[in-house]
Amino acid sequence: MSELVSTRIRTTAGKLGLPHLAEALNQYAQRADEAKMGYLDFLDLVLSEELAVRDDRRFRQGLRLSKLPHHKTLADYDFSFQPDLDPRKVKDLATLSFVEAKANAALLGPPGVGKTHVAVALAVAACRAGYSIYLTSLDDMVRNLTAAEAAGRLTSKLGTYLRPSVLVVDEVGYQPLERAEANLVFQVISKRYEKGSIILTSNKTFSEWGQVFGDEVLASAILDRLLHHCDVISLNGPSYRLKNRLAAIERDTQVA
């Protein structure tokens, strides 16, 4: 490839918003020459590589905007520590068919069993697949919506929780809500109903949600929309955090 043609291609690639092509052009040309590629094979190589680079860039940007506390995947989850949990149920969710159907997933269980880990792993998988994601604790969402309502910006702030394809609502039930706060949660749930997916984690059974939301009728209305299309997984094994803490104490004791 002549230097003139190479320069022209790099310039065109830059104008088309393909910076990777401009940077890797010589590498592509060398690979094509070594493999004796035809024109169509070379074009397929370039386009495939550019798509992979663009998808990876979009994925990393999506993670940056997601507010996820970490980027752990299901490969990092120790299913052996939760023997009552059927890994197939979680892996079925990881196919993201529920996201495609704009349905929901609920992960229930006591603190420390890995609910947030699984929720984040599903969100990371969704982001990798091209879906927009966002994570919030229930308390943070309520606090932000309450402040926005007081400032006359509720509609705008609701968009934060309505726009993502997948909204992860963590720690439902750790703090009881006032009725006005519960009504804000209802607005999010009802407006997302059959329009986007919710992944939630809760340490409360659904029968206890009346206490969480301070109103049995409002809790029933929330559950009615949430559970209409929802996969529910219970995690009732021992606490990972307690396991790690006990292991640390044991190590310290042995050292002493």
Side-chain angles (χ1 to χ4, degrees):
M1 183 184 300
S2 71
E3 187 61 34
L4 178 61
V5 173
S6 177
T7 300
R8 191 161 62 238
I9 291 176
R10 287 192 176 88
T11 300
T12 303
K15 291 179 179 178
L16 290 174
L18 301 172
H20 182 72
L21 172 57
E23 295 169 2
L25 179 60
N26 288 342
Q27 177 188 344
Y28 291 155
Q30 182 178 350
R31 289 170 60 183
D33 185 56
E34 291 173 352
K36 294 182 170 48
M37 290 182 183
Y39 298 122
L40 292 180
D41 288 333
F42 177 67
L43 181 60
D44 180 57
L45 166 68
V46 171
L47 294 179
S48 296
E49 291 285 347
E50 286 301 313
L51 180 60
V53 169
R54 182 167 293 186
D55 284 346
D56 187 66
R57 189 184 304 123
R58 177 203 49 75
F59 171 63
R60 294 181 184 281
Q61 176 69 4
L63 290 182
R64 280 195 294 272
L65 298 175
S66 68
K67 303 296 184 181
L68 295 179
H70 54 74
H71 301 154
K72 292 181 180 178
T73 67
L74 290 181
D76 303 313
Y77 188 81
D78 185 4
F79 285 98
S80 67
F81 198 67
Q82 301 292 346
D84 293 336
L85 174 62
D86 186 348
R88 292 173 297 182
K89 292 183 178 180
V90 178
K91 291 174 182 177
D92 282 346
L93 287 178
T95 65
L96 304 178
S97 57
F98 79 100
V99 176
E100 184 177 351
K102 297 180 174 58
N104 306 314
L107 306 167
L108 309 181
V113 294
K115 301 185 300 295
T116 300
H117 184 148
V118 174
V120 168
L122 294 174
V124 169
C127 185
R128 174 68 75 182
Y131 295 101
S132 55
I133 59 174
Y134 190 82
L135 180 142
T136 178
S137 69
L138 181 68
D139 290 343
D140 282 347
M141 183 174 76
V142 167
R143 182 166 51 253
N144 290 334
L145 290 174
T146 300
E149 185 175 41
R153 297 183 291 101
L154 179 59
T155 300
S156 175
K157 191 60 184 177
L158 278 170
T160 300
Y161 308 106
L162 300 181
R163 281 191 297 270
S165 300
V166 179
L167 175 67
V168 182
V169 183
D170 199 21
E171 299 180 341
V172 175
Y174 283 82
Q175 294 290 336
L177 303 180
E178 300 293 334
R179 195 181 191 287
E181 296 172 330
N183 185 62
L184 293 172
V185 177
F186 173 76
Q187 290 190 55
V188 173
I189 301 296
S190 62
K191 290 179 187 297
R192 287 192 64 90
Y193 176 61
E194 295 187 333
K195 294 180 180 177
S197 295
I198 294 174
I199 301 172
L200 69 86
T201 73
S202 179
N203 67 330
K204 302 293 186 183
T205 63
F206 292 131
S207 63
E208 298 176 288
W209 277 33
Q211 303 168 28
V212 173
F213 291 97
D215 186 294
E216 293 288 348
V217 174
L218 193 53
S220 294
I222 291 172
L223 286 170
D224 180 62
R225 288 158 179 78
L226 184 71
L227 298 181
H228 184 205
H229 309 291
C230 187
D231 289 291
V232 180
I233 293 181
S234 296
L235 296 84
N236 295 309
S239 168
Y240 282 104
R241 286 194 288 270
L242 182 57
K243 167 195 171 186
N244 294 334
R245 178 58 181 157
L246 291 175
I249 292 174
E250 184 177 343
R251 286 195 302 271
D252 292 343
T253 302
Q254 289 174 348
V255 171

